Amino acid sequence: MSELMTLSRTILQRKRSYEGATGDFTLLLNHIALAAKVVSRQVAKAGLLDVLGKAGKDNIQGEEVQRLDVIANDLLIELLNDLPMVAAIASEEEDNLQVTQAGRLDGKYLVCFDPLDGSSNIDVNVTIGTIFSIRKRKETGREATVEDFLAPGSEQVAAGYAVYGSSTMFVYTTGDGVDGFTLDPSIGEFVLTHPDIRIPDSPRCLSGNVLNRKNWLPGTQAFWDGIANSTDERYKKTGLRYVGTLVADVHRNLLQGGVFIYPDDRKSPNGKLRILYECHPLAFVVEQAGGAATNGRERMLDIVPTGLHMRVPLIIGNKQEVALYSQMLAEHP
Ligand code: AHM
Ligand code: MG
């Protein structure tokens, strides 16, 4: 693979097949990638800089300490705010949508993101990530509203994530397969290292917070136990893997095969994860890599959010196991 196959060059090459491509989308994706690079730098230095800990306390200079997730959120908003093609932004960290300055009336894109996924892992130097989703709005010439965001995941035009792990990776789809890039810190570029990612056929990993099992619905328990106790050849190499950072768990399962669950249970009737910032974008990526995602009753990408911060159960990964989950839920009411 040529070392020079950077993210920008890949977007440009893929885009040749688009009709009427204006370069807007390329610029937008490049800005998200730039934010990922800056966040990656902050994450790498986190233990040295005073960015860990809770926002709200003062550092030694008497300035307020900013948590990494606040830094990532502010950075993404600042970068996207200047782009005339972006009409509005919805962030997991913000109560309301942010109408941009440059694109408020005529911007054609809406961007959703979870600036730093895996909050509980931030302070302990365990992999975290940024998740994003891009939608096209149906009507321009006015400020975007919350309703503009409330569309099924199948209407996303692009989605992806960055994971800040042993190296930083950027993975995205525009609905034509999934490409993965690794940050080469010596040139400051994302380089194509994982073209056309396909999820392996069988699940190497089963991922879920199994200590919630006591609250799980009978169908979820039956699904989990069925795999854990199976003597089937398919599950011979399956092991438990759970980072507690959704994007890291899904990324690993995408490369190794696996299924991740954060279901609804007796304590959390809607699960924990947010549809616009986490579930829709990751479902788009995983489907494009040959996998599937559901809430246990419906395909994730068919679900229409009812609010910006709506939570949904998420079961995502190998097609066969995602289908098995829905079957177990139906068979064990
Ligand atoms: P966050 O957006 O505040 O980071 O919360 C979501 C995270 C996911 O990354 C992860 O899959 C999940 O919460 C872990 O939850 P739990 O600690 O209940 O297992
Ligand atoms: Mg999150």
Side-chain angles (χ1 to χ4, degrees):
M1 180 83 42
S2 161
E3 223 192 336
L4 290 175
M5 205 55 209
T6 61
L7 175 64
S8 309
R9 287 188 68 208
T10 308
I11 303 168
L12 284 170
Q13 283 200 0
R14 298 267 189 275
K15 216 183 57 177
R16 279 203 196 111
S17 53
Y18 276 24
E19 290 257 356
T22 57
D24 281 357
F25 179 75
T26 311
L27 195 60
L28 170 53
L29 209 57
N30 264 316
H31 272 65
I32 294 174
L34 172 62
K37 287 185 213 173
V38 178
V39 175
S40 169
R41 188 191 60 185
Q42 294 290 115
V43 169
K45 288 187 189 166
L48 302 170
L49 303 172
D50 208 0
V51 290
L52 298 180
K54 302 236 180 299
K57 75 173 191 199
D58 289 349
N59 67 14
I60 203 154
Q61 283 91 30
E63 299 150 343
E64 198 190 343
V65 175
Q66 280 206 302
R67 273 186 64 113
L68 265 181
D69 40 11
V70 177
I71 293 174
N73 182 57
D74 292 353
L75 177 74
L76 271 155
I77 291 178
E78 186 189 325
L79 287 176
L80 298 179
N81 201 30
D82 285 346
L83 294 179
M85 72 292 278
V86 178
I89 302 160
S91 162
E92 199 194 87
E93 291 287 328
E94 303 284 341
D95 290 342
N96 299 312
L97 66 84
Q98 315 279 304
V99 171
T100 63
Q101 259 161 29
R104 45 185 280 275
L105 293 180
D106 296 319
K108 57 187 173 206
Y109 293 116
L110 304 170
V111 183
C112 299
F113 55 78
D114 179 352
L116 218 47
D117 176 52
S119 351
S120 68
N121 285 326
I122 295 177
D123 291 356
V124 289
N125 203 12
V126 171
T127 300
I128 45 186
T130 300
I131 310 171
F132 68 90
S133 155
I134 303 174
R135 290 157 192 268
K136 221 172 193 170
R137 61 176 177 153
K138 297 190 181 90
E139 196 189 318
T140 55
R142 57 162 176 82
E143 279 193 5
T145 62
V146 169
E147 283 65 39
D148 294 326
F149 284 84
L150 306 183
S154 50
E155 291 185 12
Q156 293 170 103
V157 293
Y161 57 81
V163 266
Y164 313 111
S166 44
S167 50
T168 292
M169 280 194 71
F170 188 87
V171 175
Y172 84 98
T173 183
T174 52
D176 183 21
V178 180
D179 285 323
F181 302 79
T182 303
L183 182 62
D184 180 342
S186 65
I187 55 170
E189 290 279 359
F190 282 111
V191 178
L192 183 62
T193 48
H194 296 63
D196 198 16
I197 296 173
R198 305 294 299 167
I199 187 166
D201 283 338
S202 59
R204 175 76 188 75
C205 311
L206 179 60
S207 317
N209 190 337
V210 73
L211 286 192
N212 291 335
R213 191 185 182 289
K214 53 189 173 304
N215 295 314
W216 284 351
L217 304 177
T220 307
Q221 296 189 1
F223 166 80
W224 188 273
D225 297 347
I227 293 180
N229 300 327
S230 176
T231 50
D232 194 314
E233 193 62 25
R234 180 168 176 82
Y235 301 117
K236 216 171 148 195
K237 293 196 171 140
T238 307
L240 173 70
R241 292 285 184 280
Y242 189 68
V243 179
T245 296
L246 170 70
V247 66
D249 279 310
V250 168
H251 176 69
R252 183 204 52 242
N253 292 0
L254 191 65
L255 298 184
Q256 296 196 329
V259 60
F260 170 96
I261 68 167
Y262 211 112
D264 46 330
D265 63 26
R266 282 197 290 267
K267 262 177 73 185
S268 318
N270 300 312
K272 175 179 185 185
L273 303 171
R274 320 272 181 137
I275 191 163
L276 281 172
Y277 317 114
E278 296 168 320
C279 305
H280 270 169
L282 293 178
F284 192 19
V285 170
V286 169
E287 273 202 8
Q288 282 297 314
T294 178
N295 66 354
R297 293 106 183 145
E298 250 183 296
R299 176 184 173 229
M300 184 57 63
L301 293 181
D302 288 340
I303 302 174
V304 181
T306 52
L308 285 182
H309 297 290
M310 179 190 173
R311 296 175 195 270
V312 276
L314 176 68
I315 291 81
I316 187 166
N318 287 101
K319 251 187 190 159
Q320 190 172 319
E321 280 62 39
V322 171
L324 177 67
Y325 183 92
S326 300
Q327 185 193 330
M328 290 293 113
L329 212 57
E331 285 178 7
H332 299 82

